[in-house]
Amino acid sequence: MADELYLENIDEFVTDQNRVVTYKWLSYTLGVHVNQAKQMLYDYVERKRKENSGAQLHVTYLVAGNLLQNGYVCHKVAVVREDKLEAMKSKLSTLASVHVYSIQKALLKDSSPLYSTDYDIVKSNLQHCSKFSAIHCAAAVPRTPPDAPRAPAQSQRGPDAASVVNGHGPPAARPPPQQQRGIMGMFAAKAAAKPQDTPKETKAEAKEAPGVSATSSKPSIKNSIMNNFFGKAAMNKLKANSVPEQLKEEKEVEKPSVAVAEPESSPNSVAEKPGKKAESARIQQKDKRSKTKRTDRSDDEEERDPENVKKKRKRIKQLQSDSSDEEADIPPSPTREEERAPSPPLVPALKTELEPASTEGSAAGRKRKRKRVLKSKMFIDEEEGCMGKTG
Amino acid sequence: MSHAMFSEQAAPTAQGLLAPPSAEPPTFPRVPVSGYSDCSQPFQLGERSFSRQYAHIYAVRLAGMRPGLERCARKQWGNDIALRKLSELQAGEKCCVVGTLFKAMQLQPSILQEISEEHNLVPQPPLPKYIQPSDELMLEDELQRIKLEGAIDVQKLVTGTIVAVYGSEQDDGRFLVEDHCFADLPPPLPWNGPSSDRFVLLASGLGLGSVSGEALLSTQLLVDVVTGQLGAEGEQSCAAHITRVILAGNLLSQNTQSRDTINKAKYLTKKTQAASVEAVKMLDEILLQLCTSVPVDVMPGEFDPTNYTLPQQPLHRCMLPLASTYTTLHLVTNPYQANLDGVRFLGTSGQNISDIFKYSSMDDYLEILEWTLRAGHISPTAPDTLGCYPFYKSDPFILTECPHVYFCGNAPHFQSKLLQGKEGQRVLLVTVPDFSATQTACLINLRDLTCQPITFSGFGADSEDRDIEVGH
């Protein structure tokens, strides 16, 4: 019953779908141990050939063993076609393994289809690529996410330039995780500050203190979610664009992120604002430096269409805002949009509306104003349902 | 010494998988790392300042190695020999001088000559070797220099080596050498190796991002053997004894280094990506597969995206977002030094050896590797012909302890040798071959310091015999 099933599956893959079925591909597809997959393939070949000796079936094998080469006894691992199997086996002085590697309908000229099949199946199973393997490693555990962003508390970078002994910095101060934590810390800080921004803008200034303290407890919970959100998306963008930048900026960023992360401990809006100002000032600096990169980044933006469609909504409302920044995955802030809704839909009006808004909550709102400048000036205006063009 | 390697142990069950599916296939746990400590602190640079001159590194090198050389000199030529500085030399007096070698080579590429307008020279094309019969050796110490002649092999030695020469100054101002000696093997480290078989896989020169497809399948086979996907049960169980994988540089191919974007007009290159971006993504996927199964140490090499000068700093984690989520990924410096299960490893990605190759008559990478160990310095030609950070307090490339495994990556082919020292040192010298060219990696057994190459091959349209031998 269960036996027949895999045979049918393999038959379908090979004969009907005309696939190259490698043991690895079969293992992932049927969800079985790699060794079982190899045995299944062997079983299928045997049975099929017994039934129908003229079956159109080609097999490749994996052979491994000792080989004398260049004066060394080397362990050779080779994928060979069936017709060369015996020749390879005879070359090896000791045979360590033989098993079926793949079966396919057509005779393969070279081994690149084998590689592409394995590559594709591994690529779509990257998250658990050792699941069906014969070796399990207990030490291979992913790093826990809170590990990453909590660095700002530790990294009091007071003596930054102090110890330049022989070019060796303080070894403890620069382990690689720190660098990532710096980047993550920056996003964590922004995330922490963001939810605090929203209530502030809608409420009166007087209500800020309780608003801050209320929401300051939230970021700590939200943080892990935020960071994961930032982690992947931010990482993807950062990877392509701003690696050297980040390295440079990392130190500067860690300082403001320390300041901004502090709101949790000191829910004092006053203390917070200067901190944020400092951060936004630095980020402004960064933006100036990043201006040359902006064109490249906006190019990449255009290619990331699904994200763009979503972001376009916000951008329309915040056109011509101060400057762009490398990260832009700030979660949509619905309150802001509602705020803008009653305003006249024409762009110039929007623009003027923006300016006072931006100056008013300058320090607070500045972070959110950091949007990418739209390259193409076409947009769809939701309210009116018409197309508008910027000047 | 028996080669208790994969094949013999695996042989009994070799054909076991040529059978119908069995009930429960076994899963082997990876042998855990019993002791690991990274000893690469001397090679990690924090704040870097390039405002210093390189004279300081030579000064500290000589100061650091002088005591050891004076000891060797006394041991070799007697306790009562006269140790002199160059400024104290008297003509005709037999004495011993310790200093730094400088080889004046006519063919040595000189940037000043290249840009000199009055010479009107076309820049010299890169040559495999820059040695000439007319090269001359000088000995320099803290204050002076003197030309050497006599019983010293000018062709073999390179600039930057600290040496002790025994002889006398001649009337014409040259020093006639009767004998010379180097620092010799550094003092041995105690042996704490494992008592059962544990393997370390050493590979270098994966060369991702090149156009060649053959090496890709071999790379995949390498990953599959290590992660226990490939092979019959016996082989998989042996592979579970691989406790670590060390990738010694050149993970990216030289092809990823093209910098067309600088020369071409911006509008042509706007949407193009550096070749290294795609290659690094591939590297990330390969490392992810490895990291889910075994601890991996990744050393940068000549073509990898990190700084150019030695010591190269680790690759940055943000380039490898998938793999760096695992604690088993260790991004380390080049050179790299660590204690693995009680065995001290020290090695480089090969720039030091290949640079000496260019300026010395020595042809064999293993010979050069051994020579650097005996000369007491990982890379004497830095900073003269090999880029190096301007150290000024101490030279971290001086060998102070004798490692148990000393390797260099990206060699033309695999070689290994077990060296026994006079003071009880036991070193396994390994030249790790360039994987993209040879499809060969090295398996080192920590129990008895033996090494076996492991080769991978697919099949192509042309040849059935894929025994690639890269001669040099």
Side-chain angles (χ1 to χ4, degrees), chain B residues 70-89:
Chain B
E70 289 180 352
R71 242 192 334 265
C72 275
R74 287 206 177 85
K75 226 189 302 178
Q76 191 152 348
W77 303 310
N79 262 325
D80 51 349
I81 51 156
L83 284 165
R84 297 262 180 269
K85 295 259 170 78
L86 284 176
S87 50
E88 302 159 359
L89 279 184

Side-chain angles (χ1 to χ4, degrees), chain A residues 6 23-24 27-28 33-36 38-40 42-43 47 60-62 64-67 69-70 72-81 84 87-89 91 94-101 108-112 114-115 118-119 122-123 126-127 129-130 132-144 160-161 163-171 174 176-180 183 235-236 238-240 243 247 251 295-296 299 302-303 375, chain B residues 6-8 10-11 13-30 41-49 214 216-217 220-221 224-233 235-236 239-240 266 270-271 281-282 284-285 288-289 291-295 316-322 324-329 331 366 389-396 414-416 452-461 464-469:
Chain A
Y6 75 79
Y23 74 92
K24 206 193 280 185
S27 153
Y28 279 108
H33 192 279
V34 282
N35 288 355
Q36 275 185 323
K38 296 167 195 164
Q39 290 170 323
M40 286 178 184
Y42 175 79
D43 197 26
R47 290 197 197 205
T60 61
Y61 289 88
L62 178 96
N66 271 352
L67 179 70
Q69 192 177 33
N70 299 342
Y72 289 99
V73 175
C74 116
H75 186 78
K76 185 149 176 90
V77 177
V79 178
V80 292
R81 285 201 302 245
K84 304 278 191 293
M88 180 59 84
K89 273 161 77 170
K91 263 204 285 190
T94 321
L95 198 62
S97 312
V98 182
H99 65 75
V100 177
Y101 192 90
L108 292 178
K109 286 262 158 49
D110 62 57
S111 35
S112 38
L114 300 177
Y115 174 72
D118 280 348
Y119 179 80
V122 168
K123 187 102 188 226
L126 277 178
Q127 287 318 307
C129 43
S130 281
F132 302 114
S133 159
I135 298 178
H136 276 161
C137 179
V141 286
R143 291 177 206 271
T144 46
D160 251 338
S163 39
V164 193
V165 180
N166 203 33
H168 299 153
R174 260 197 181 240
Q178 281 288 58
Q179 290 163 333
Q180 196 197 8
I183 302 167
M235 283 311 185
N236 285 338
L238 282 176
K239 203 180 16 151
V243 171
L247 283 175
K251 273 215 177 131
T295 44
D296 293 342
D299 279 335
E302 288 180 320
E303 285 156 14
K375 262 207 100 176
Chain B
F6 282 18
S7 306
E8 282 79 13
T13 53
Q15 317 228 30
L17 294 179
L18 292 174
S22 52
E24 263 309 310
T27 306
F28 307 99
R30 167 94 46 209
Q41 274 75 35
F43 305 120
Q44 284 163 5
L45 301 173
E47 285 285 318
R48 279 164 253 186
S49 154
E214 168 66 27
L216 284 176
L217 178 68
Q220 191 60 54
L221 292 177
D224 289 342
V225 166
V226 173
T227 56
Q229 317 234 10
L230 217 58
E233 279 173 19
E235 180 148 15
Q236 288 165 336
K266 187 86 177 165
K270 212 176 199 189
K271 303 252 178 159
K281 281 198 203 146
M282 266 202 318
D284 196 20
E285 285 158 14
L288 175 67
Q289 292 175 55
C291 285
T292 52
S293 182
V294 69
H316 199 282
R317 277 182 63 180
C318 68
M319 288 195 284
L320 308 166
L322 297 171
S324 56
T325 54
Y326 283 87
T327 54
T328 39
L329 180 73
L331 297 166
L366 191 69
Y389 177 77
F391 293 105
Y392 66 98
K393 281 241 169 106
S394 66
D395 182 351
F414 167 81
Q415 283 172 288
S416 88
Q452 187 184 35
I454 178 167
T455 336
F456 303 89
S457 69
F459 53 89
E464 68 168 52
D465 250 309
R466 292 232 145 236
D467 293 336
I468 296 172
E469 184 171 337

Side-chain angles (χ1 to χ4, degrees), chain A residues 98-347:
Chain A
V98 182
H99 65 75
V100 177
Y101 192 90
S102 80
I103 51 181
Q104 55 278 334
K105 237 164 133 184
L107 178 68
L108 292 178
K109 286 262 158 49
D110 62 57
S111 35
S112 38
L114 300 177
Y115 174 72
S116 12
T117 311
D118 280 348
Y119 179 80
D120 292 335
I121 196 68
V122 168
K123 187 102 188 226
S124 40
N125 285 293
L126 277 178
Q127 287 318 307
H128 42 90
C129 43
S130 281
K131 195 162 161 195
F132 302 114
S133 159
I135 298 178
H136 276 161
C137 179
V141 286
R143 291 177 206 271
T144 46
D147 241 354
R150 278 300 104 206
Q154 309 170 357
S155 65
Q156 301 296 334
R157 299 289 208 139
D160 251 338
S163 39
V164 193
V165 180
N166 203 33
H168 299 153
R174 260 197 181 240
Q178 281 288 58
Q179 290 163 333
Q180 196 197 8
R181 281 182 222 157
I183 302 167
M184 295 300 287
M186 181 175 90
F187 295 123
K190 278 205 201 128
K194 262 241 78 183
Q196 291 156 9
D197 271 341
T198 338
K200 235 184 268 170
E201 270 208 68
T202 52
K203 295 177 193 161
E205 291 258 339
K207 291 203 193 148
E208 260 180 63
V212 166
S213 53
T215 52
S216 64
S217 54
K218 279 205 212 143
S220 50
I221 307 164
K222 273 194 193 170
N223 247 342
S224 43
I225 310 165
M226 291 293 190
N227 292 327
N228 286 335
F229 182 67
F230 286 159
K232 287 226 181 85
M235 283 311 185
N236 285 338
K237 294 199 177 116
L238 282 176
K239 203 180 16 151
N241 290 330
S242 21
V243 171
E245 254 198 24
Q246 285 299 330
L247 283 175
K248 263 188 283 167
E249 318 296 356
E250 173 226 344
K251 273 215 177 131
E252 299 167 80
V253 162
E254 274 192 85
K255 268 204 178 129
S257 65
V258 172
V260 186
E262 249 145 58
E264 297 180 322
S265 45
S266 57
N268 186 355
S269 58
V270 181
E272 197 191 317
K273 264 205 164 157
K276 268 199 262 155
K277 255 204 185 112
E279 176 183 1
S280 46
R282 283 184 203 267
I283 291 163
Q284 282 281 301
Q285 254 183 319
K286 218 193 315 183
D287 294 334
K288 285 202 193 100
R289 261 178 266 163
S290 71
K291 269 200 168 98
T292 47
K293 290 222 168 182
R294 219 186 290 153
T295 44
D296 293 342
R297 250 179 259 118
S298 42
D299 279 335
D300 289 332
E301 274 174 68
E302 288 180 320
E303 285 156 14
R304 292 189 214 124
D305 281 328
E307 293 177 86
N308 260 352
V309 173
K310 206 182 177 187
K311 266 184 246 150
K312 264 193 181 129
R313 286 191 193 199
K314 272 191 295 182
R315 260 185 236 125
I316 297 163
K317 319 250 179 192
Q318 299 172 33
L319 274 175
Q320 311 306 320
S321 48
D322 297 324
S323 42
S324 67
D325 197 276
E326 53 262 37
E327 75 75 40
D329 283 340
I330 300 177
S333 44
T335 52
R336 284 207 107 217
E337 280 191 282
E338 288 159 35
E339 220 184 310
R340 299 277 176 239
S343 68
L346 291 176
V347 177

